[in-house]
Amino acid sequence: GAGRRVTKFADEMDVQAPAGVSDERLLVSGYNNGMVRVWTGWKESQDTGAVEEVVAFKGAQSVPILGIDYVRRSRAIAVVSAKGGHHNAEQGLSLFALEGLMHGERLCTRTLREDAVTINLAFDVAGIQADVVAVGYVDGLLQLFGVDASAQRLLPSDPSDRTGGRLVLLGSFEAHSGPVGCLRASHDGARLLSLSSIHESVAEWDVIKGVKLRNIDFSFQVHHCDYAGTDYAILVVNGNDIRRVPPADLRAILMKREEEALQAAEEAAMRG
C-alpha cells in the first residue's frame, strides 16, 4: 500500500510557512508510493487545532520516501527516495523549496549510491555557515552533502555535481562495517556522531575538516547516541542504561596523528 514512511515537523528551527499558508507550524509526511503531503494547523500554544492538508505532490516516481529533513539556511525540504519501481528510479536526494511547496517545486535531485540508505539527517554547521545533509548506508558508508538552495556556488567545487552547486558531495567515509543506524549532530553542527549498533561502536566526526575524531567501542549493544550538551560529551543508551562519554581529547588526538605521520614517513624512507 501507500503507507506512511516518515513524518517530520518542518518548524523545528523556526520555519516560516510558505506564501498562502497562515500557520508557521508545518508537518511533512512521505509515503511508500512516493507522495509527499504537507499539513498545517498545529500551533505550539494550543493542544488542538484545525489540521488541514495544504498540498500533496510527487516526491519520487512510485518508490518509497525514505527520509525527510528541513534544511534551515536554504529554506528547503530534503527528501531521500528509494530506487526501483515501475520507472526503475535511482535512489536519490532531492531538494524542494519551502516557498514552492504549494506547487511541489523541485529544485534538484542528486543520484545516490546503489546501496540502500538506512538513515539521513540535515543540520546547520555554524562554523561554515552552511547546511549539511548526512546520509548513512546499509554497508556502513557515510556521505556528507553541502546544501545551497540559492545555487550561489558558495560550496567547494564537486566534479560529480549535476545540481548546479545546490547539492555538493563534501566527503564519503567508511564509517562502520555494518549499517549506519543513527546520526546525531552537535549543537553547532561542527561534529557528528554515527552509530552501528550491530558492531557496538560509535564514531565521532569533525564535519568541517571531514575527518574522524575517534571510534568508541563498547562491550554492549548501543541502541542510541546523542550529544549531552555544548561541551561535546556523548550519551549512549542501551535498554534502560544511559552512559556518559567524556568529550574527545583533541590534543591527544592531534599528537597521535603526528606520531602516526612521523612513523609512516620513517617507514617510507626506509623502504626508499
Side-chain angles (χ1 to χ4, degrees):
R4 185 176 63 194
R5 294 283 300 190
V6 286
T7 302
K8 290 287 181 71
F9 278 108
D11 72 325
E12 295 175 354
M13 301 181 186
D14 301 323
V15 177
Q16 292 183 351
V21 179
S22 59
D23 297 278
E24 292 188 359
R25 190 171 173 87
L26 300 176
L27 182 72
V28 183
S29 298
Y31 295 80
N32 280 337
N33 62 358
M35 292 299 296
V36 175
R37 302 169 72 183
V38 182
W39 309 77
T40 186
W42 283 269
K43 294 181 181 294
E44 293 184 4
S45 60
Q46 300 177 359
D47 293 331
T48 60
V51 179
E52 178 186 2
E53 180 181 340
V54 293
V55 67
F57 59 89
K58 273 283 185 183
Q61 287 290 338
S62 303
V63 292
I65 301 298
L66 302 178
I68 295 176
D69 272 301
Y70 173 58
V71 187
R72 181 174 180 245
R73 290 181 183 271
S74 293
R75 289 182 51 76
I77 302 296
V79 176
V80 177
S81 56
K83 64 179 180 180
H86 301 302
H87 300 276
N88 197 27
E90 295 180 300
Q91 191 167 233
L93 171 61
S94 300
L95 284 182
F96 294 86
L98 190 64
E99 294 298 337
L101 277 188
M102 300 300 292
H103 312 289
E105 178 186 342
R106 185 192 306 264
L107 292 175
C108 63
T109 295
R110 176 155 188 155
T111 301
L112 298 176
R113 302 172 63 244
E114 287 287 327
D115 295 273
V117 170
T118 53
I119 191 168
N120 61 281
L121 174 71
F123 54 98
D124 177 17
V125 185
I128 57 176
Q129 297 187 351
D131 295 308
V132 170
V133 175
V135 179
Y137 295 86
V138 69
D139 63 349
L141 195 87
L142 171 66
Q143 289 188 314
L144 301 181
F145 295 92
V147 183
D148 178 16
S150 68
Q152 295 178 358
R153 298 193 176 277
L154 302 176
L155 298 167
S157 60
D158 172 11
S160 62
D161 175 41
R162 299 292 183 272
T163 66
R166 292 185 175 93
L167 280 172
V168 174
L169 179 62
L170 301 178
S172 296
F173 312 96
E174 294 182 359
H176 303 280
S177 56
V180 181
C182 177
L183 293 170
R184 302 299 295 174
S186 60
H187 66 285
D188 55 1
R191 300 188 192 181
L192 178 71
L193 297 176
S194 63
L195 163 67
S196 177
S197 57
I198 293 179
H199 296 279
E200 304 168 348
S201 66
V202 174
E204 185 173 21
W205 305 86
D206 184 322
V207 176
I208 297 176
K209 295 181 179 179
V211 296
K212 181 186 287 188
L213 291 175
R214 57 177 171 168
N215 201 73
I216 312 169
D217 295 317
F218 299 92
S219 59
F220 53 87
Q221 188 177 34
V222 179
H223 296 149
H224 188 69
C225 63
D226 204 347
Y227 283 100
T230 58
D231 66 345
Y232 304 108
I234 299 170
L235 294 179
V236 295
V237 178
N238 172 30
N240 296 324
D241 186 18
I242 301 178
R243 299 192 185 186
R244 183 181 185 276
V245 179
D249 187 340
L250 298 184
R251 184 177 180 182
I253 292 173
L254 178 60
M255 291 179 61
K256 182 179 180 181
R257 285 180 182 163
E258 290 176 347
E259 292 175 357
E260 291 175 347
L262 180 60
Q263 181 178 357
E266 290 175 348
E267 292 176 353
M270 291 178 63
R271 290 194 300 269

